[in-house]
Amino acid sequence: MPNIKVFSGSSHVDLAQKVVDRLGIDLGKVVLKKFSNQETSVEIGESVRGEDVYIIQSGCGEVNDNLMELLIMINACKIASASRVTAVIPCFPYARQDKRIRAEHQYLQN
């Protein structure tokens, strides 16, 4: 599969590995670290220039850390001239808050 790279955030490496196994490609090389002040550091370990990049990162667990890690990975890929970056988020954080607000708003209107 030319022009496709799949990377995994730290939240669900097993899922990402199953996806690339099914696609018959290797998981992209990425180094994820935390600085001493707990800031997230991301280093993309291979060229993504002109590639379609997919980043698999679940919102489970440490939601805010995982979301920030995803955003930094997206930024790193865009800076490295990826053609397109797609976030694959099996468990989308903060999605339930919108439903609660709509339900409360509807209740208040009745």
Side-chain angles (χ1 to χ4, degrees), residues 1 5 9-11 13 16 18 21 23 33 35-36 40 47 49 58 69 80 86 89 95 98 102:
M1 299 184 98
K5 300 276 184 172
S10 62
S11 69
V13 180
K18 288 179 182 180
D21 288 347
L23 293 173
K33 298 184 277 189
F35 291 116
S36 60
T40 300
S47 175
R49 180 179 297 277
S58 174
E69 184 178 280
T86 303
I89 311 170
D98 181 45
R102 274 191 273 148

Side-chain angles (χ1 to χ4, degrees), residues 4-56:
I4 293 176
K5 300 276 184 172
V6 177
F7 294 93
S8 176
S10 62
S11 69
H12 214 307
V13 180
D14 293 341
L15 174 62
Q17 189 60 56
K18 288 179 182 180
V19 169
V20 295
D21 288 347
R22 181 71 179 230
L23 293 173
I25 61 175
D26 293 326
L27 192 58
K29 293 172 182 64
V30 63
V31 177
L32 303 166
K33 298 184 277 189
K34 292 270 188 184
F35 291 116
S36 60
N37 66 355
Q38 297 305 304
E39 282 186 25
T40 300
S41 169
V42 172
E43 293 177 31
I44 303 298
E46 57 190 84
S47 175
V48 295
R49 180 179 297 277
E51 304 278 350
D52 286 339
V53 174
Y54 294 84
I55 301 171
I56 299 174

